Amino acid sequence: MTAAAVNGETGTVPTTTDPATATDAAGTAPTGAAAAADAATDAAPDAAGAVVTEETVPARAPWSAFVRRGQQLTITDLHGNQAVDFLVYDAHDTDVRYSAADTVHAQGGIFLTTGSVLMSNEHTRLMTIAEDTCGRHDTVGGACSKESNTLRYGHHTWPQHGCVENFLLEGARYGLGKRDLVSNVNWYMNVPVEEDGTLGIVDGISAPGLKVVLRAERDVLVLASNCPQINNPCNGFEPTAVRMTITEGAA
């Protein structure tokens, strides 16, 4: 069982908690990550709608945050046609994480929009899409990587980092590694399925200012990669910035 959390305001693991001085009900000291998770989730919430944190994520960059139960994460496509690869874990036990199979099974379809629920590998709710002004998001296209770029586009792309590398870089802050990466959500990415079952990565349907709003159904750790792909049209061949905003939900 692995626990991980970040400070809701700065996106970093709180440093004020001393695991050596904190004990659980059994009288044993929690791990540093577990103590940080407890400290972060025990904080008193602000008024509904209050902004907890707001960050502009540069093109090609990773991002992460801890989102408490009931809080909302808004992902805004600032310039249009920018894919955002996304993973989500239970903040107190990262062995419980997003499952594409459970999510598709639960809603009976592969595209996400308002009302869709991101399900865990234990078939429990992690986050719900409360609002979506784009209309459709991908669950099957996966994350780009140095290896997949080389296979699809040629060996000259090897120096280009992808979303897998971003996930590994950001996940390492919480003790996550390759074995913790699973099939991800691709916000704003247009991956149609043809009649013969083939997939395509084609021009996006997003536009500047469109957003998707996710409500946390439990305390979660979110990893995101502002997709650096330049070899297909998922980012219009020119990656751009997105905005991440965490707000307090209704009481």
Side-chain angles (χ1 to χ4, degrees):
M1 181 181 295
T2 307
V6 295
N7 184 285
E9 296 183 353
T10 65
T12 59
V13 176
T15 58
T16 56
T17 302
D18 181 0
T21 62
T23 58
D24 60 19
T28 58
T31 65
D38 292 341
T41 56
D42 287 345
D46 296 322
V51 175
V52 177
T53 185
E54 186 169 74
E55 298 179 55
T56 298
V57 183
R60 302 179 175 87
W63 181 85
S64 62
F66 174 74
V67 186
R68 289 194 308 233
R69 180 180 179 181
Q71 289 182 334
Q72 294 189 332
L73 169 64
T74 300
I75 305 172
T76 305
D77 188 356
L78 295 175
H79 303 281
N81 205 23
Q82 175 59 44
V84 179
D85 291 43
F86 183 93
L87 290 171
V88 57
Y89 304 80
D90 185 309
H92 303 284
D93 180 4
T94 55
D95 285 341
V96 179
R97 71 276 303 269
Y98 170 73
S99 167
D102 286 82
T103 298
V104 170
H105 174 265
Q107 70 171 5
I110 63 172
F111 298 120
L112 302 176
T113 189
T114 304
S116 297
V117 180
L118 305 187
M119 303 293 289
S120 78
N121 54 332
E122 295 189 348
H123 212 71
T124 54
R125 294 171 174 242
L126 293 171
M127 304 186 88
T128 299
I129 301 180
E131 182 182 356
D132 174 27
T133 60
C134 179
R136 191 172 75 187
H137 306 270
D138 169 64
T139 60
V140 296
C144 59
S145 66
K146 295 168 75 71
E147 291 80 7
S148 64
N149 281 345
T150 300
L151 179 65
R152 292 172 178 168
Y153 310 114
H155 200 71
H156 67 281
T157 65
W158 177 254
Q160 301 171 9
H161 80 282
C163 289
V164 167
E165 286 74 38
N166 274 346
F167 282 145
L168 289 172
L169 179 66
E170 197 68 13
R173 299 173 57 199
Y174 313 103
L176 301 175
K178 267 196 172 182
R179 291 180 181 273
D180 299 298
L181 300 189
V182 295
S183 296
N184 57 284
V185 175
N186 291 306
W187 304 116
Y188 304 113
M189 196 161 104
N190 189 15
V191 184
V193 181
E194 306 299 336
E195 290 186 3
D196 63 0
T198 58
L199 304 178
I201 299 176
V202 299
D203 290 340
I205 60 175
S206 185
L210 296 189
K211 65 182 180 180
V212 58
V213 182
L214 298 153
R215 181 180 65 250
E217 303 296 349
R218 61 175 65 196
D219 298 337
V220 294
L221 171 66
V222 167
L223 300 184
S225 169
N226 195 13
C227 183
Q229 183 61 261
I230 60 172
N231 300 292
N232 69 47
C234 71
N235 301 316
F237 300 100
E238 186 179 354
T240 54
V242 296
R243 184 168 63 235
M244 301 290 198
T245 308
I246 298 174
T247 54
E248 294 293 351

